[in-house]
Amino acid sequence: MRIAFLMAPEGVEQIELTDPWQAVIDSGHEPVLVSTKPGQIQAFHHLDKADVFPVQEVVSETSAGSFDGLVLPGGVANPDALRMDERAVSFVRDFFEQGRPVAAICHAPWTLVEADVVRGRTLTSWPSLRTDIRNAGGTWVDEQLQVCEAAPSTLVTSRKPDDLKVFCEAFLEEFAKRR
């Protein structure tokens, strides 16, 4: 499988990128770092700068159709920047319209809210997003993992870095069903 990891140029929570990325590699699949600008992205450990990672594809030059699934890592600034970029929002929306699976952790559902794809779905996230999710027509739950198949594409969500192990196992299992 070829799996897109969509991130803004800065603000992603590093462990929410690196753990799922490694899980994809360990499963024999290909992760691809997609961003809104070419070059590299700056990851963070909470509010402190961490490592940088090379951008492999730019969202304006790729399409959901070239991937088997989408992973949206969190971090506060990352999804906030993504939801302000119409091409990134459209890229996310296209996965849902094409019935391709999506996985989002922590603050990443902010981008899903902006793409208007949470209506009628049940999902989890960092607790501060619960009102945004409810206002967008979704049902928010405080659970380690939520797998929602309420629409054409499966949505896998988790709350925080402590949930990463179960999140990675679940999204890889769900993405494999799509093949």
Side-chain angles (χ1 to χ4, degrees):
M1 289 186 293
R2 190 165 186 261
I3 300 172
F5 281 71
L6 177 61
M7 283 156 284
E10 67 177 5
V12 70
E13 184 68 31
Q14 182 161 315
I15 196 167
E16 294 175 8
L17 162 62
T18 57
D19 278 18
W21 186 277
Q22 191 60 50
V24 168
I25 290 171
D26 291 348
S27 295
H29 305 298
E30 178 189 1
V32 179
L33 197 154
V34 179
S35 188
T36 56
K37 295 180 182 175
Q40 60 188 19
I41 61 119
Q42 174 67 62
F44 281 75
H45 292 299
H46 302 290
L47 300 176
D48 299 322
K49 283 187 177 181
D51 298 324
V52 295
F53 298 89
V55 172
Q56 294 168 284
E57 295 189 23
V58 178
V59 74
S60 62
E61 299 170 3
T62 193
S63 69
S66 64
F67 297 99
D68 297 295
L70 171 65
V71 175
L72 296 169
V76 177
N78 176 54
D80 191 55
L82 288 175
R83 66 186 178 160
M84 298 300 294
D85 186 297
E86 184 49 45
R87 289 182 177 150
V89 172
S90 179
F91 182 71
V92 170
R93 189 180 304 115
D94 287 348
F95 275 86
F96 287 88
E97 290 174 354
Q98 295 176 22
R100 297 178 189 279
V102 175
I105 189 166
C106 202
H107 288 80
W110 265 340
T111 310
L112 302 176
V113 166
E114 190 65 32
D116 194 24
V117 295
V118 302
R119 188 172 319 284
R121 292 181 169 271
T122 300
L123 60 154
T124 192
S125 68
W126 186 255
S128 65
L129 276 67
R130 68 179 164 255
T131 301
D132 297 326
I133 290 167
R134 288 176 181 151
N135 287 344
T139 300
W140 185 85
V141 294
D142 185 10
E143 297 176 7
Q144 185 178 37
L145 177 73
Q146 183 64 45
V147 178
C148 182
E149 297 174 333
S153 65
T154 300
L155 175 61
V156 178
T157 53
S158 283
R159 302 169 300 187
K160 57 189 173 184
D162 290 347
D163 301 337
L164 277 165
K165 182 177 181 341
V166 88
F167 174 72
C168 292
E169 291 169 357
F171 86 71
L172 284 167
E173 179 180 324
E174 293 300 325
F175 285 19
K177 290 178 183 176
R178 165 86 169 72
R179 294 190 82 201

